[in-house]
Structure formats: C-alpha cells, structure tokens
C-alpha cells in the first residue's frame, strides 16, 4: 500500500535515540533532513536509559512484532554503521513472577546448572530462568551520536542546543516547518520525536497526544570486574556490566538495590553507588508506541514511545519507509494515534 504522506523534506524534532534514528534512516533514503534538539544528541532521557535490547517476553500489543525484530534491526544497523556501541551478552530473567513462564520469541527456559554457567558468580542460581541469547544492550548516547553522525554523512543538517517553540503551518493549514529560538526551519513534514515535550508541541495544533512523564531511575555502581556477564532481570533490579568495574542498575531504591546486588553475586560486598540519574520517560497512556501521521494536520508525524532504545533501529527504519518511500507499514498499524 502507498501512503499519501510522502516527503523528501523533513524536520525531525528531538535528537534522542528515536529522532536520531529517524533522521539517519530518512537521510540515508535520500530525504533532505533537518534534525533539531533543545540539547545535545542523546543527552536527554536517552542518556538515562538502561538500554536493554530485547523483546523482554512481550508477545501481545501493537508493538509486539517490533520488539521481536529489535535485535535483528540493530544487527542490520551495526553493518551500516561499523563501531556502533552495542554488546550482545544475552539476558537472564527470573523471579519476577511466581510461576515459570512460557518461553517467548527467542527465549528458552534453563535450569540452575545452566544459569550457573551463564552467570558463574551468582550466590544461589535460581531453579529456572528465561534465557534470551539474542538480547543485548546499547550505549544509548553513543548510539544516538553515531546515528546523528550517519545522518550528517548523508547530508542532514543538525541543530543542537536549539529549542523548538512551535510547529509552523501555512495558510492552508499544512505543516511548513518549526519555529525555534534561533529562527524558523522549513520542512514539508515535521516528525515530533521529542519525548514528553511532544504533547506540548502538538497541543496548539489541536492534537492531543496522550503521553505522560514517567520517572525511571538508573544507578551507576562501582563493582569488581567480571561480576555480571548477561543482562540480568529479577524482582529486585535490572543489571548489566557497562565497563570493567562499572554496573548499571535500573531499580527504585538505592539502598535496596545495593543490598540485593551484594547478596546476589559473590565478591560483590564492596559494590558502591557512584551516581543516580532520574530520567523522565515518555509513557503513552496505554504503554504502547504512538507512531504515524496525524490526518487532521497534514505534514505532521508522531514518533513517541517507551522502550525507545529497544525499538529505535526498527522504528527509524519503518518511519523512513513511510515518509520517504511512501509505503504504509503494516507493523505500525496498531501504533497510530487514532486508536485513542
């Protein structure tokens, strides 16, 4: 199917990992792209992401298909952008539910002996865990910067530290670009990938985007080398190794997280908290991505979601196909704004 919304001149608002991916894929597809952000690429909520790449057992909902392809799309992106800072460690999940779950796409149920081989410093390997060997994790700022560099290499113009004040429209009501603190930027299509700011930018156009801020806490920990090999998910924390002596944990309480990490891994008694970052994730009302054109405002396109890091490679690719190639992507059909 071919979309009536085809544009070779785009303004992408937001240089977090979603906006950066859209800008890169659209520029690579031949569009004239302007990328604008109030700060630096990836420096907003993207920087505070735990950055797990995987389906996380999600088998239902509009974005289930996107999540299944997340790792595959990142591997495609690695081939296009050599040196992309992504690691493929697999993930282990256990104890978040009281019963043994069924394995989802790309997953298998493993026993305690297998868990102990995968995570040899666990003090007490669980009786079972969900092993997803194809899962990985990203350096979210590094990936965003690499995507922006890739967009530039394909001719995109990038305006960091340039807050967008409003979306501009012409006399006929069609989008004509954006107004920024430094002046106007023209474009036939505006992609709002501005996270929690998306709703405020859309509201003056008469468009309600049901996205609320959702706090997410990321702890940076100092730990002995080699404590954690995979992405670990349990009822206490999400945890992964990011450098020789550094861990990242997504959880709620620093005290409980430190206690849980120290108790879960041998040789972790001296793990210490280095910093805490609270990010404000854009959380759609139903938890699912909002992606697609807004028919009431010709030229306006939305790309806002939770699990932005997981979905970035897939979503950027598909959005570019819709906007530049004119296809209507079936895998985005359940993500449209009109479902609300």
């Amino acid at each position: 199917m071919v979309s009536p919304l085809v544009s070779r001149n785009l303004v992408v608002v937001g240089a977090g990992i979603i906006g950066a991916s859209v800008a890169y894929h659209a520029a690579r597809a031949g569009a004239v792209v302007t990328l604008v952000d109030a700060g630096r690429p990836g420096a907003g909520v993207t920087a505070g992401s735990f950055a797990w790449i995987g389906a996380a057992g999600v088998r239902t909902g509009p974005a289930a298909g996107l999540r299944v392809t997340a790792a595959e799309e990142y591997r495609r992106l690695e081939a296009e952008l050599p040196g992309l800072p992504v690691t493929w460690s697999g993930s282990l999940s256990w104890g978040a539910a009281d019963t043994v779950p069924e394995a989802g796409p790309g997953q298998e149920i493993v026993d305690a002996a297998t868990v102990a081989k995968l995570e040899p410093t666990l003090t007490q390997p669980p009786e079972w865990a969900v092993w997803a060997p194809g899962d990985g994790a990203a350096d979210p700022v590094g990936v965003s910067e690499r995507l922006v560099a890739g967009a530039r290499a394909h001719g995109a113009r990038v305006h960091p530290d340039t807050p967008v004040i409003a979306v501009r429209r012409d006399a006929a009501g069609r989008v004509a670009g954006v107004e920024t603190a430094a002046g106007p930027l023209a474009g036939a299509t505006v992609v709002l990938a501005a996270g929690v700011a998306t709703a405020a930018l859309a509201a003056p156009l008469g468009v309600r985007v049901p996205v609320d801020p959702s706090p997410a806490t990321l702890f940076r920990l100092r730990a002995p080398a080699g404590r954690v090999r995979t992405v670990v998910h349990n009822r206490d924390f999400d945890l992964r190794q990011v450098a020789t002596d550094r861990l990242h944990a997504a959880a709620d309480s620093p005290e409980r997280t430190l206690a849980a990490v120290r108790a879960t891994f041998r040789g972790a008694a001296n793990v210490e908290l280095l910093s805490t970052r609270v990010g404000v994730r854009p959380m759609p009302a139903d938890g699912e991505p909002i992606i697609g054109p807004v028919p009431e405002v010709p030229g306006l396109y939305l790309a806002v979601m939770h699990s932005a890091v997981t979905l970035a490679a897939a979503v950027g690719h598909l959005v570019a196909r819709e906007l530049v190639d004119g296809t209507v992507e079936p895998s985005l059909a359940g993500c449209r704004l009109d479902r609300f």
Side-chain angles (χ1 to χ4, degrees):
M1 186 182 296
V2 178
S3 168
L5 182 68
V6 180
S7 178
R8 293 276 168 173
N9 190 346
L10 312 177
V11 176
V12 180
V13 181
I17 198 164
I18 292 295
S21 183
V22 171
Y24 163 72
H25 286 93
R28 189 173 188 269
V32 175
V33 175
T34 301
L35 177 63
V36 58
D37 193 279
R40 310 299 295 181
V45 67
T46 293
S49 171
F50 183 67
W52 180 1
I53 301 170
V58 177
R59 281 166 276 176
T60 60
L66 297 177
R67 295 180 195 282
V68 169
T69 65
E72 176 187 343
E73 286 289 308
Y74 264 99
R75 291 189 182 277
R76 171 191 56 79
L77 202 56
E78 283 183 302
E80 295 175 8
L81 299 173
L84 197 72
V86 174
T87 57
W88 300 105
S89 62
S91 69
L92 276 171
S93 305
W94 70 84
D98 295 328
T99 58
V100 180
E102 295 181 6
Q107 299 177 334
E108 57 185 287
I109 306 299
V110 294
D111 60 15
T114 303
V115 173
K117 291 177 182 177
L118 293 166
E119 286 291 359
T121 68
L122 285 173
T123 56
Q124 186 174 353
E127 292 183 9
W128 59 265
V130 179
W131 168 234
D135 281 7
D139 167 358
V141 176
V143 169
S144 299
E145 291 174 340
R146 189 73 182 85
L147 286 164
V148 171
R152 285 185 191 272
H154 288 286
R157 296 163 293 185
V158 182
H159 298 267
D161 302 317
T162 307
V164 171
I165 299 168
V167 177
R168 300 172 62 223
R169 302 171 82 174
D170 61 21
R174 183 176 178 84
V175 161
V178 297
E179 192 67 45
T180 78
L185 295 171
T189 297
V190 169
V191 180
L192 293 183
V196 294
T198 298
L201 288 169
L205 306 174
V207 177
R208 177 180 173 272
V209 183
V211 172
D212 292 315
S214 174
T217 306
L218 185 72
F219 301 118
R220 292 173 171 84
L221 310 174
R222 178 182 286 121
R227 293 307 91 187
V228 183
R229 293 186 177 182
T230 68
V231 178
V232 172
H233 167 70
N234 61 32
R235 67 174 74 244
D236 296 312
F237 49 67
D238 291 346
L239 188 72
R240 66 183 184 94
Q241 196 96 30
V242 296
T244 302
D245 63 345
R246 294 289 188 274
L247 300 173
H248 281 181
D252 295 326
S253 161
E255 294 80 14
R256 286 197 298 270
T257 302
L258 279 175
V261 172
R262 289 166 179 167
T264 301
F265 297 92
R266 293 193 304 274
N270 294 324
V271 170
E272 61 179 302
L273 179 67
L274 293 177
S275 67
T276 299
R277 178 173 182 137
V278 180
V280 183
R281 300 172 297 188
M283 186 64 71
D286 61 359
E288 298 289 346
I290 301 173
I291 306 169
V294 180
E296 299 80 9
V297 183
L300 184 67
Y301 194 101
L302 305 176
V304 59
M305 67 209 70
H306 173 46
S307 297
V309 173
T310 296
L311 298 175
V315 166
H317 191 199
L318 293 171
V319 170
R321 282 175 54 82
E322 290 209 320
L323 291 176
V324 183
D325 297 338
T327 61
V328 175
E329 293 295 330
S331 56
L332 296 179
C335 298
R336 309 306 191 186
L337 179 63
D338 63 9
R339 72 179 185 270
F340 293 101

